Amino acid sequence: MSAVMADEHHEEHPKGITRWLFTTNHKDIGTLYLFLALIMFFIGGFMALIIRAELFQPGLQVVEPQFFNSMTTMHALIMIFGVVMPAFTGLANWLIPMMVGATDMALPRMNNWSFWILPFAFTMLISTLLMDGGGPAGGWTLYPPLSLQTGTALPFVIFSIHLMGLSSIMGSINVIATILNMRAPGMTLMKMPLFVWTWLITAYLLIATMPVLAGAVTMLLTDKFFGTSFFNAAGGGDPVLFQHIFWFFGHPEVYVLILPAFGVISQIIPTFARKPLFGYSSMVYATASIAFLSFIVWAHHMFTVGMPLAGEMFFMFTTMLIAVPTGVKVFNWVATMWRGSMTFETPMLFAIGFIMMFTIGGFSGLMMAITPVDFQYHDTYFIVAHFHYVLVPGAIFSIIAAVYYWLPKWTGHMYNEKLGKLHFWLSTIFVNLTFFPMHFIGLAGMPRRIPDYSLQFVEFNQIATIGAFGFGFAQLLFLYIVLQTVRGGQKATDQVWEGAHGLEWTLASPPPYHSFTTPPEVK
Amino acid sequence: MAHTADSKNYYIPHGSHWPIVGSIGLTTLLVGFSMFLNGVGMGKMLALAGLVITVIMIFGWFGTVIKESEAGTYNNQVDRSFRWGMFWFIFSEVMFFAGFFGALFYARQLSVPWLGGEGIGAATNSVLWSGFENVWPTNGPGEVGGKFEAMPAWGLPAINTAILLSSGVTITWAHWGLKENKRNHLIWGLAATVALGSLFLYFQAIEYVHAYHELNLKLSTGVYGSTFFMLTGFHGMHVTIGAIMLFVMLLRAIKGHFTPKHHFAFEAAAWYWHFVDVVWLGLFIFVYWL
């Protein structure tokens, strides 16, 4: 009775600005998240192009060194907290209720708040660029004592991180409550689509680590303004303590940025290989193992800081262990495609690109896990190449793949396949042009986060800059394709893809405002 | 309008303006506080305005939820979602404290011993501070904050431990009363818990005054003062929040809210109270005693 009442109340489709401001609808909120991520993607990308423009030639020509440093710092903060995380949360909002057979997220009002904190947080963060002393420039990791020399910006940066954390924690609580409590009858845990599984584990990681980051930056704040000595050796503290607390958050965070990507790829590959996912349960266990291991590897970010030998050894071996569950995943994706009836629509191209290039990033990660070898690589362009391989052709490619894959479901229109494929090839060529040479200049010793460099690095840096501008402009094509599809296009069928399975494909394209008003039966 | 306990339908709340009010409130509060820290005059007023907006949001939002709940709008599934929500929220709070406990353990087990010359290749002691010895409590080789005395465990802190532990008993006693539908029993149990919580906070305030005025123990007293005040301070803040939650439950109990089967808000406040209790035990053992 009451439920029906609530539904009647909701049938009037809200209009105008208040629809978006007051919404409790998972699709509206998902759309908001995805558009925020898209806008931030271009802002963060613009910053990357400033960095690459400066590095086109040795010497200083485009920007001041201080501004260069705040560009590297802001680029990272925006791409991590403003692009990849909101994009995944947007996907979670759109897809999880449809995939588990629910009508909406478990806590819809809190869902609204998780999103509407973010525009405020990012306005606060970006506005620091205009303040006395400029934006934060000590790297996104905010290591003290350097970060404590930030000017007026410091408290604004810290509080914007608090707000982002608040948003992530609320978003994650919502995801977990939805998955644990809103599944349709018969949708047992081991029947859930892998995207739902990876998000369940991601949400757990976020709830466990975001508060730790909040604690770490709070200590920075009190060290700067209230005279505490957490990171001050004269008072008995230790600057390295910050690195430990930060990376206790930071390493699970790395998997926050990649586990949902694994989920997306695990949805796409079976559809276009027209075979069920190979080794479903091993995928679930591998994801859980990666999450567990992520809590005991953090100090591999700190091999050169001067830890006791036992620490170096422990973190080296645990880090190498991660290659095992990750290898299981890559093996399973390849095995799914083995002897499948494959077709290569745009989402599949991006998914295969993901597997190839994410694996390159995985292997360079394995190289750096070896402590003595890392002494050579640490803080060079090799690490920059590594994490950009796992984040750009990794996380970002998976997000783009997801958008192409589900956009027909969301909008009811097919995107332009020809342009989609062009977008894929441009992105793939340019992303490799950008990041592959960084391996070489990194091994040759070019340090990261420095606006100037020695003459022997010129050629590879110029190739990287050309690649970066090519990749950046190729994304304008993506923007065009998405907007074109939202506005119209060939009508999509309900199933959209011949080989697609799962509850979301049983709904109309576009799906009704409330996905499942009564729970579907899952056999 | 009956409470549709086994409804086959899903329930979705209608839209709400409170989240956006909350965002505006929090942002105003934090921008104001940042300006205050940077020494900008109007920062304080802005922070205060933000705080007021945030408090209005909390009243408004929870008020709406309480009204809907009392009208019987929520089904069992909503109740379960709330439970999961509160559980994971408390887990996130546990991890927040874990960060600060981590800092305490790191200082006691690693950074202070290293500064005192322990460990292989630790050169700070011989190069910079050769006279410094590894003892706890300490304000470091630079004696940041000057000479101080540590806070003994077996005075007020021990009494406070007893107070918080008994408040855990009274809240459970109140819960029994609620489940057996004995309203007075519930009200007195809650009132006793709120009173004990307030007493705890009062003693904590006395302890802080004592620390600042007689022991010269301050937030700025090296790593001991930092960990002591940040841990006990954040705990005290959580006790305050918990006590306010329980006070609201007391008012609602007096108003006749809650039934023996349907009283999630009460349980959430009780869970939170137990969480605050357990954190205190950790504090008592590792900050005051050992």
Side-chain angles (χ1 to χ4, degrees):
Chain A
M1 163 71 201
S2 55
V4 178
M5 255 188 45
D7 279 338
E8 275 163 11
H9 181 91
H10 237 81
E11 280 319 315
E12 22 152 330
H13 201 83
K15 294 233 157 54
I17 183 81
T18 54
R19 165 182 173 188
W20 301 103
L21 282 180
F22 303 160
T23 180
T24 48
N25 182 276
H26 73 103
K27 300 188 183 77
D28 285 353
I29 294 170
T31 305
L32 287 169
Y33 266 114
L34 288 168
F35 271 103
L36 174 80
L38 194 60
I39 294 165
M40 299 305 281
F41 184 51
F42 285 102
I43 296 176
F46 182 69
M47 291 173 173
L49 294 187
I50 294 175
I51 295 167
R52 284 318 316 172
E54 175 58 52
L55 292 175
F56 188 68
Q57 289 173 54
L60 302 173
Q61 44 273 318
V62 183
V63 289
E64 293 290 307
Q66 171 78 14
F67 187 74
F68 179 89
N69 288 342
S70 78
M71 282 295 101
T72 57
T73 306
M74 290 290 254
H75 165 74
L77 286 171
I78 287 177
M79 288 298 194
I80 292 166
F81 292 101
V83 179
V84 178
M85 290 169 72
F88 281 143
T89 316
L91 292 174
N93 260 296
W94 255 102
L95 296 170
I96 289 173
M98 295 203 289
M99 284 178 162
V100 301
T103 183
D104 209 295
M105 298 292 278
L107 302 158
R109 283 184 192 139
M110 195 171 77
N111 201 15
N112 174 309
W113 204 23
S114 324
F115 172 78
W116 276 110
I117 282 179
L118 288 179
F120 291 88
F122 284 105
T123 310
M124 213 159 136
L125 179 66
I126 294 172
S127 69
T128 60
L129 285 173
L130 308 171
M131 291 176 187
D132 274 353
W140 79 281
T141 50
L142 301 169
Y143 283 4
L146 183 60
S147 66
L148 296 178
Q149 294 172 20
T150 308
T152 313
L154 187 66
F156 292 94
V157 174
I158 287 173
F159 289 135
S160 73
I161 289 173
H162 277 133
L163 286 177
M164 292 167 204
L166 194 62
S167 154
S168 285
I169 290 168
M170 290 194 296
S172 301
I173 288 174
N174 218 337
V175 165
I176 294 190
T178 307
I179 297 173
L180 294 182
N181 191 31
M182 305 292 278
R183 297 195 312 280
M187 176 64 79
T188 56
L189 286 175
M190 290 308 273
K191 273 188 194 162
M192 294 194 309
L194 229 93
F195 180 74
V196 180
W197 255 115
T198 53
W199 242 112
L200 178 65
I201 292 166
T202 301
Y204 169 75
L205 291 180
L206 278 168
I207 299 176
T209 60
M210 272 296 167
V212 178
L213 174 68
V217 295
T218 304
M219 291 180 214
L220 278 184
L221 189 82
T222 56
D223 264 21
K224 170 88 174 177
F225 294 102
F226 299 97
T228 57
S229 299
F230 288 107
F231 311 130
N232 174 12
D238 187 351
V240 177
L241 167 61
F242 178 84
Q243 302 184 19
H244 281 290
I245 306 176
F246 180 87
W247 286 112
F248 182 83
F249 145 80
H251 204 79
E253 167 70 16
V254 169
Y255 296 115
V256 165
L257 302 175
I258 205 66
L259 291 184
F262 290 168
V264 167
I265 302 304
S266 305
Q267 300 299 128
I268 293 177
I269 298 280
T271 297
F272 297 99
R274 291 168 181 75
K275 273 177 66 193
L277 184 69
F278 182 87
Y280 170 89
S281 50
S282 67
M283 283 300 222
V284 173
Y285 299 135
T287 311
S289 317
I290 293 174
F292 168 73
L293 288 171
S294 76
F295 284 103
I296 52 168
V297 299
W298 75 85
H300 68 213
H301 297 265
M302 308 160 52
F303 279 149
T304 60
V305 85
M307 279 187 295
L309 185 63
E312 308 260 1
M313 301 277 280
F314 174 81
F315 288 109
M316 169 166 82
F317 291 129
T318 50
T319 303
M320 291 175 130
L321 265 184
I322 290 185
V324 178
T326 314
V328 167
K329 289 189 159 289
V330 175
F331 177 84
N332 285 353
W333 291 322
V334 176
T336 306
M337 289 188 281
W338 180 253
R339 308 185 105 185
S341 319
M342 303 236 283
T343 49
F344 299 93
E345 287 86 345
T346 311
M348 185 60 163
L349 288 176
F350 273 99
I352 294 172
F354 171 95
I355 297 174
M356 304 282 290
M357 289 179 278
F358 171 78
T359 306
I360 294 176
F363 279 132
S364 60
L366 204 50
M367 291 167 75
M368 282 179 298
I370 306 166
T371 310
V373 178
D374 182 71
F375 286 3
Q376 169 71 17
Y377 304 152
H378 190 93
D379 254 347
T380 68
Y381 260 83
F382 192 79
I383 178 73
V384 178
H386 159 70
F387 65 68
H388 279 98
Y389 259 93
V390 292
L391 285 174
V392 186
I396 296 283
F397 264 38
S398 82
I399 292 163
I400 295 174
V403 170
Y404 281 117
Y405 185 56
W406 281 291
L407 197 59
K409 170 57 62 187
W410 298 338
T411 61
H413 305 131
M414 288 305 286
Y415 60 87
N416 184 328
E417 188 65 51
K418 243 187 211 142
L419 287 183
K421 285 191 169 130
L422 179 66
H423 174 223
F424 167 74
W425 287 109
L426 288 176
S427 298
T428 303
I429 290 166
F430 283 122
V431 87
N432 284 293
L433 213 53
T434 313
F435 297 116
F436 211 80
M438 291 184 186
H439 290 112
F440 306 137
I441 46 177
L443 287 175
M446 178 168 157
R448 63 191 288 211
R449 290 172 175 159
I450 307 280
D452 190 7
Y453 54 83
S454 300
L455 291 177
Q456 69 267 33
F457 304 129
V458 173
E459 286 82 359
F460 282 135
N461 266 302
Q462 296 194 327
I463 294 172
T465 298
I466 292 167
F469 275 83
F471 184 79
F473 285 107
Q475 304 320 308
L476 293 175
L477 182 61
F478 178 56
L479 180 68
Y480 173 76
I481 298 169
V482 169
L483 294 181
Q484 192 191 40
T485 314
V486 170
R487 291 171 64 105
Q490 189 200 328
K491 196 90 192 70
T493 61
D494 289 356
Q495 201 190 2
V496 184
W497 312 105
E498 184 194 43
H501 296 288
L503 285 178
E504 79 266 34
W505 308 108
T506 64
L507 289 166
S509 302
Y513 198 56
H514 296 291
S515 305
F516 292 95
T517 37
T518 50
E521 283 291 334
V522 181
K523 327 161 251 35
Chain B
M1 197 170 62
H3 179 61
T4 49
D6 52 359
S7 162
K8 276 248 187 291
N9 292 311
Y10 290 114
Y11 167 77
I12 314 166
H14 59 78
S16 168
H17 60 280
W18 291 119
I20 193 79
V21 173
S23 296
I24 293 167
L26 274 185
T27 307
T28 315
L29 170 64
L30 295 176
V31 167
F33 191 48
S34 300
M35 287 166 70
F36 166 71
L37 290 176
N38 285 324
V40 180
M42 62 177 285
K44 238 184 219 169
M45 289 314 293
L46 206 59
L48 198 66
L51 187 67
V52 170
I53 299 173
T54 308
V55 170
I56 290 173
M57 179 276 291
I58 292 171
F59 265 88
W61 193 332
F62 279 109
T64 312
V65 172
I66 290 169
K67 243 179 248 147
E68 287 171 357
S69 172
E70 286 302 308
T73 323
Y74 298 157
N75 57 30
N76 280 347
Q77 190 172 39
V78 175
D79 196 66
R80 279 197 303 276
S81 290
F82 284 165
R83 276 161 204 279
W84 281 121
M86 193 64 195
F87 173 83
W88 289 102
F89 168 65
I90 290 176
F91 176 65
S92 79
E93 293 268 49
V94 169
M95 292 309 292
F96 181 76
F97 278 98
F100 285 91
F101 272 109
L104 175 70
F105 297 150
Y106 184 91
R108 294 186 61 165
Q109 297 300 318
L110 297 171
S111 72
V112 174
W114 286 337
L115 288 167
E118 280 177 33
I120 303 161
T124 325
N125 182 270
S126 48
V127 175
L128 277 180
W129 291 299
S130 58
F132 180 67
E133 271 176 66
N134 165 27
V135 284
W136 188 265
T138 180
N139 52 355
E143 299 196 358
V144 174
K147 287 246 174 295
F148 73 97
E149 282 173 68
M151 184 63 71
W154 297 106
L156 268 184
I159 297 172
N160 260 347
T161 307
I163 290 173
L164 266 199
L165 288 180
S166 24
S167 77
V169 174
T170 53
I171 189 71
T172 307
W173 188 72
H175 197 191
W176 289 349
L178 177 51
K179 282 209 269 197
E180 287 164 17
N181 210 9
K182 292 179 185 155
R183 186 64 45 170
N184 275 340
H185 185 151
L186 163 69
I187 290 170
W188 281 112
L190 270 172
T193 314
V194 174
L196 287 169
S198 313
L199 192 63
F200 171 91
L201 286 171
Y202 173 69
F203 282 153
Q204 195 74 351
I206 290 183
E207 182 186 292
Y208 275 19
V209 171
H210 174 62
Y212 264 74
H213 290 285
E214 281 135 64
L215 305 180
N216 193 32
L217 172 59
K218 297 177 175 166
L219 183 58
S220 51
T221 306
V223 75
Y224 177 69
S226 309
T227 49
F228 177 86
F229 281 105
M230 292 297 275
L231 275 163
T232 56
F234 271 120
H235 176 262
M237 203 172 103
H238 283 77
V239 173
T240 312
I241 296 169
I244 293 171
M245 283 161 72
L246 289 172
F247 184 65
V248 173
M249 296 310 136
L250 175 61
L251 295 182
R252 289 186 63 187
I254 293 171
K255 251 189 128 180
H257 290 187
F258 307 130
T259 66
K261 288 239 161 92
H262 185 72
H263 51 260
F264 167 68
F266 174 89
E267 285 179 87
W271 293 352
Y272 197 80
W273 195 251
H274 287 306
F275 147 71
V276 162
D277 224 358
V278 171
V279 171
W280 175 260
L281 285 182
L283 287 180
F284 184 71
I285 294 170
F286 295 112
V287 175
Y288 291 97
W289 185 11
L290 295 181

